[in-house]
Amino acid sequence: MAEVSELSEGQKQLIALGIFVLEFAQTEQFLLDTLATLGQISDSFAKAAFSGVKGETAISYLRRYFQMIPIGQEQKSIFEEVFSHFTPINSARNLILHHGIESGGLIGFISTNRSKALSADKAHTIRVSSEILDQMTDDLQKMTMMLMTNMFRHQKVEITQDKNMREVLQRPWRYTPPPQPDSQKRAAQKDQSPRKKQQRQPKPSPE
């Protein structure tokens, strides 16, 4: 087998993509395991209820659970940190696996749905490289470790004594998602902006 340095960028991407897909599957499984563990759900019921449930749906369920069962702010902030980094990587993963990778000219390789998007605001394009795939893989590893340490908080001391786990937990996030198109930014801002209440006209006083 050729040395890694002798491989083309396309070949490096194939290797990095395979590792990324495997790491994504593990992180997604840990999201489901976290949901089952925190909800104290039996294995048999989890198999029936969570069959086919994806990572984003598990995150939605966990957020609902946190509304019903209050948890400490420190623990909640750790989960939210994982969720916020998982979402853009999940979007990138779906784009790559469903639409492939192609040459983007001067900007390098890309993955895009522009040929199938119904409208411009539905079109998404991201840059893809072996380095970017490695960055996402590293962040998924960190998410998995964060989920693991929070699922087994009573064993946190023993878990974090592992040198490799400590290194993964302490390293910074690596993947930076591409900026949203202006149309998506405006839509997000519109959703987040408070709605102005319509002022009611004063009723005339009885004569």
Side-chain angles (χ1 to χ4, degrees):
M1 184 176 178
E3 295 291 337
V4 174
S5 59
E6 298 175 358
L7 299 176
S8 67
E9 171 58 21
Q11 292 172 319
K12 291 178 182 178
Q13 284 181 29
L14 290 175
I15 295 172
L17 180 60
I19 298 171
F20 165 71
V21 168
L22 291 175
E23 196 65 45
F24 183 93
Q26 179 162 290
T27 304
E28 191 169 53
Q29 183 59 53
F30 262 92
L31 283 168
L32 293 171
D33 290 346
T34 299
L35 181 60
T37 300
L38 293 182
Q40 299 181 352
I41 300 171
S42 66
D43 290 343
S44 56
F45 184 81
K47 289 178 182 178
F50 299 153
S51 177
V53 173
K54 303 299 183 183
E56 283 297 328
T57 304
I59 288 174
S60 177
Y61 287 161
L62 282 166
R63 283 179 168 146
R64 291 183 193 178
Y65 176 80
F66 296 154
Q67 291 177 348
M68 300 296 296
I69 309 295
I71 62 173
Q73 186 57 42
E74 179 185 358
Q75 188 178 10
K76 185 177 180 180
S77 64
I78 292 174
F79 281 119
E80 286 298 336
E81 186 177 2
V82 170
F83 300 162
S84 66
H85 286 275
F86 180 85
T87 296
I89 291 179
N90 180 60
S91 298
R93 175 259 185 200
N94 291 342
L95 197 63
I96 293 170
L97 294 190
H98 292 298
H99 300 280
I101 300 172
E102 62 187 71
S103 174
L106 294 177
I107 64 173
F109 292 93
I110 62 170
S111 182
T112 181
N113 67 344
R114 61 191 173 191
S115 65
K116 299 178 182 178
L118 294 176
S119 58
D121 61 328
K122 298 292 185 183
H124 301 280
T125 300
I126 60 170
R127 287 187 61 246
V128 181
S129 67
S130 56
E131 181 181 6
I132 290 173
L133 290 166
D134 287 343
Q135 290 171 356
M136 291 193 289
T137 297
D138 286 349
D139 285 357
L140 288 168
Q141 289 175 349
K142 180 170 180 174
M143 292 178 219
T144 299
M145 297 301 179
M146 291 173 71
L147 291 169
M148 186 184 300
T149 56
N150 273 275
M151 270 199 302
F152 306 105
R153 288 179 69 82
H154 60 288
Q155 300 175 15
K156 191 169 183 179
V157 175
E158 289 80 0
I159 290 174
T160 54
Q161 283 178 350
D162 184 279
K163 181 181 178 181
N164 292 331
M165 290 188 67
R166 283 202 313 271
E167 291 177 352
V168 171
L169 289 168
Q170 292 171 0
R171 70 188 179 201
W173 297 104
R174 296 192 61 202
Y175 176 65
T176 302
Q180 292 182 345
D182 291 339
S183 59
Q184 293 181 30
K185 287 182 180 179
R186 288 194 296 269
Q189 290 171 355
K190 184 178 179 180
D191 291 339
Q192 294 175 3
S193 60
R195 297 179 181 272
K196 292 183 179 180
K197 293 183 178 179
Q198 186 176 2
Q199 294 182 349
R200 294 181 179 179
Q201 295 295 330
K203 295 182 179 180
S205 57
E207 296 182 357

